[in-house]
Amino acid sequence: MPNPVISGFHPDPSVCRVGDDYYLACSSFEYFPGVPLFHSRDLVRWTQIGNALERPSQLPMTTDTHSSGGVYAPTIRHHDGRFWLIVTVVAAGENVLFTATDPAGPWSDPIPLPGVHGIDPDLAWDDDGTCWCTTAGGAQVRLDPLSGRTYGEPHQVWSGTEGALAPEAPHLYRIGDHWYLMIAEGGTERGHAVSIARGPAPDGPFEPCPANPILTHRGTHHPVQNTGHADLVQASDGSWWMVFLGVRPGGGTPGWHVLGRETFLAPVTWADGWPVVGEIVDGTPPGSFGDDFDLAGLRHSWISLRSRAADLCTTEERPGWLTLRARGASLDERDATFAGHRAQNPRWRARTLIDPAQGRGGLAVRLDERHHYEIEAAEGRVQVIARIGPVRTVVAEHAPPEGPLVLTVENSERQDPGDPCDGPDRLFFGVEGVGVLAGLDGRYLSTEVAGGFTGRVIGMYAAAGSVHFDWFTYEVLKEGTP
């Protein structure tokens, strides 16, 4: 199966090149810090260098921010010696713009854009320095990106195939003698697609490509589905490439994807002045991840729910340990104290050493407040808990010895051929030295069941008092690993 170049819950990719370096930003929704940023020299191997929105002043989210709300669809560009990031902050009900001289940060406080309406804003500059902002649905307006001021009323340019669902994710480019406007359409589910049009000026008029959609996997057996929300970039050698999101559904019918929408890469050639998208390029599967919490803060890839207060999530209270102090009483609550790492592989094992003597908490696999599984420890008791929609239940319980213990969770993929009703995988929760306490059907932690725009996040949480974690490991497992 082709691999994504950035796997696991990294949707809505936007990319730009500066010299021989490429920078890419993704959506982050209700997680904080927001908008992960990646660097690459070859478009295939990516390293996270930071998060653009790492201060509450940049990303104000509260318990009113619902799951799959928060932050939508950034566009990252480099112009006039500066990086520009424009994004929809759904939590604040507005589009905002950030700037930085170094994409690793720090990024500026937000520049409000009261005259920019709609989601998925894009930025493009013409030869005389005029900045054009285009949003979902094909609305366009001239913009002063330094002040946030717009000029005139937004006007409609091109919104894709007539009657098509959800024309969004616009990106405007000057390529050769033409201006190209590329969009996603068909919705971000199985009907997702990419279409493009071209015209003589940034505001058109635009003629659609006769071969639209230029990318879609709908109605095929391709293992990567829901392909769309794309961005184009030209490499330093003159070649062209497309990054786009897709999912890898598993199990029977209708197919469940659990890792979220991931970032894929494909080559692009040109024929008669139109882009032609080639086969998906194999990426570099992410390896194992571990953290012993010896640094002063958390690494870039750790994400929390809506905010991360220093007094609730710290590596400084107990040196060499991560201390989480409870706020919400469980992962059912929007203000739960949680530190998670995106699941990025079809087969994996996560482990953590927990000291619950001063509280209650554990190791969880989360999709949202209504869909999560966890193994939870308190002094003298370990429980496996399942929350599926309106139902929350304890599925197993064990009385371990006193003191710190190692909690584990791993999954096993469905093996073909199987029943068409089989889910994509099973999740097994246990205590090291004791064994597996429960195995749970993975379909209930999938987008097809829960809805929304995110993927599984594996992490630690506190539900009462203070809970300490000495280390965390995420191990990639191969098929057939016992």
Side-chain angles (χ1 to χ4, degrees):
M1 177 183 294
N3 290 305
V5 291
I6 306 179
S7 62
F9 176 32
H10 290 105
D12 307 331
S14 178
V15 65
C16 69
R17 177 176 67 88
V18 182
D20 293 328
D21 296 286
Y22 303 90
Y23 300 98
L24 186 146
C26 294
S27 295
S28 50
F29 298 96
E30 75 267 28
Y31 289 96
F32 184 92
V35 186
L37 291 165
F38 296 84
H39 169 260
S40 176
R41 298 298 296 272
D42 62 6
L43 289 169
V44 173
R45 291 166 294 184
W46 293 89
T47 300
Q48 188 173 355
I49 57 174
N51 296 278
L53 312 185
E54 56 185 5
R55 304 188 301 276
S57 62
Q58 297 172 303
L59 183 54
M61 290 194 290
T62 69
T63 54
D64 292 332
T65 303
H66 58 79
S67 288
S68 289
V71 178
Y72 285 7
T75 293
I76 187 170
R77 294 292 183 256
H78 186 263
H79 174 76
D80 198 23
R82 187 182 306 205
F83 289 91
W84 307 81
L85 185 84
I86 188 170
V87 68
T88 303
V89 180
V90 181
E94 62 180 352
N95 290 302
V96 292
L97 194 150
F98 303 86
T99 67
T101 55
D102 183 345
W107 287 77
S108 70
D109 279 340
I111 300 170
L113 306 174
V116 176
H117 308 291
I119 63 171
D120 300 2
D122 173 70
L123 293 176
W125 285 262
D126 64 19
D127 292 339
D128 67 8
T130 299
C131 182
W132 298 85
C133 181
T134 312
T135 56
Q140 189 182 80
V141 68
R142 289 190 301 129
L143 171 70
D144 176 1
L146 289 174
S147 68
R149 177 186 175 188
T150 52
Y151 300 93
E153 292 297 317
H155 61 281
Q156 201 71 22
V157 284
W158 181 70
S159 58
T161 304
E162 184 176 354
L165 178 68
E168 56 191 12
H171 289 306
L172 182 67
Y173 315 91
R174 173 68 179 268
I175 302 172
D177 295 331
H178 295 95
W179 285 86
Y180 290 84
L181 179 57
M182 187 169 70
I183 69 166
E185 60 182 19
T188 196
E189 299 80 29
R190 295 295 193 267
H192 216 195
V194 176
S195 292
I196 198 166
R198 70 186 182 195
D203 54 351
F206 290 101
E207 59 165 325
C209 175
N212 278 338
I214 60 171
L215 171 67
T216 188
H217 288 173
R218 60 193 181 204
T220 71
H221 288 292
H222 200 287
V224 179
Q225 290 293 322
N226 302 30
T227 51
H229 204 115
D231 201 0
L232 290 171
V233 65
Q234 186 177 26
S236 55
D237 64 3
S239 61
W240 283 88
W241 298 85
M242 175 184 283
V243 293
F244 57 95
L245 66 78
V247 306
R248 294 180 283 173
T253 298
W256 297 268
H257 77 274
V258 300
L259 296 177
R261 299 171 300 162
E262 308 173 276
T263 291
F264 291 82
L265 176 73
V268 172
T269 56
W270 294 84
D272 299 322
W274 295 108
V276 178
V277 183
E279 292 297 317
I280 291 178
V281 173
D282 282 357
T284 303
S288 299
F289 168 85
D291 200 335
D292 55 14
F293 305 119
D294 284 339
L295 300 179
L298 291 180
R299 301 184 189 190
H300 298 314
S301 59
W302 288 108
I303 50 178
S304 297
L305 299 174
R306 299 172 180 86
S307 65
R308 182 186 290 163
D311 61 331
L312 301 181
C313 179
T314 179
T315 58
E316 297 182 350
E317 179 173 320
R318 185 171 175 178
W321 293 68
L322 173 66
T323 297
L324 299 181
R325 186 168 290 107
R327 186 168 48 183
S330 75
L331 287 177
D332 298 350
E333 307 297 329
R334 290 186 179 182
D335 62 348
T337 302
F338 176 80
H341 186 270
R342 293 167 174 88
Q344 295 184 273
N345 307 84
R347 184 89 167 83
W348 50 266
R349 177 189 295 131
R351 302 162 62 241
T352 189
L353 176 63
I354 182 175
D355 180 357
Q358 296 175 306
R360 174 170 53 88
L363 181 62
V365 183
R366 178 190 189 272
L367 204 66
D368 61 24
E369 282 79 24
R370 299 184 303 151
H371 301 86
H372 51 86
Y373 297 155
E374 56 261 27
I375 181 165
E376 184 173 279
E379 192 169 10
R381 185 186 69 188
V382 172
Q383 294 181 327
V384 178
I385 300 165
R387 171 69 192 266
I388 304 171
V391 177
R392 175 184 174 91
T393 186
V394 175
V395 296
E397 190 165 348
H398 177 74
E402 292 185 3
L405 60 151
V406 176
L407 305 180
T408 67
V409 56
E410 70 175 80
N411 74 333
S412 66
E413 289 186 276
R414 171 188 186 262
Q415 300 299 309
D416 289 324
D419 190 295
C421 296
D422 284 349
D425 63 355
R426 287 185 65 79
L427 296 160
F428 298 92
F429 293 80
V431 178
E432 226 164 72
V434 175
V436 173
L437 301 184
L440 300 170
D441 191 334
R443 82 182 71 201
Y444 301 109
L445 303 189
S446 72
T447 299
E448 282 74 15
V449 170
F453 304 123
T454 63
R456 290 179 181 171
V457 178
I458 307 163
M460 299 149 293
Y461 70 97
S466 296
V467 185
H468 307 279
F469 300 87
D470 188 23
W471 47 260
F472 171 90
T473 63
Y474 171 88
E475 179 186 2
V476 179
L477 302 177
K478 295 181 179 180
E479 185 176 326
T481 302

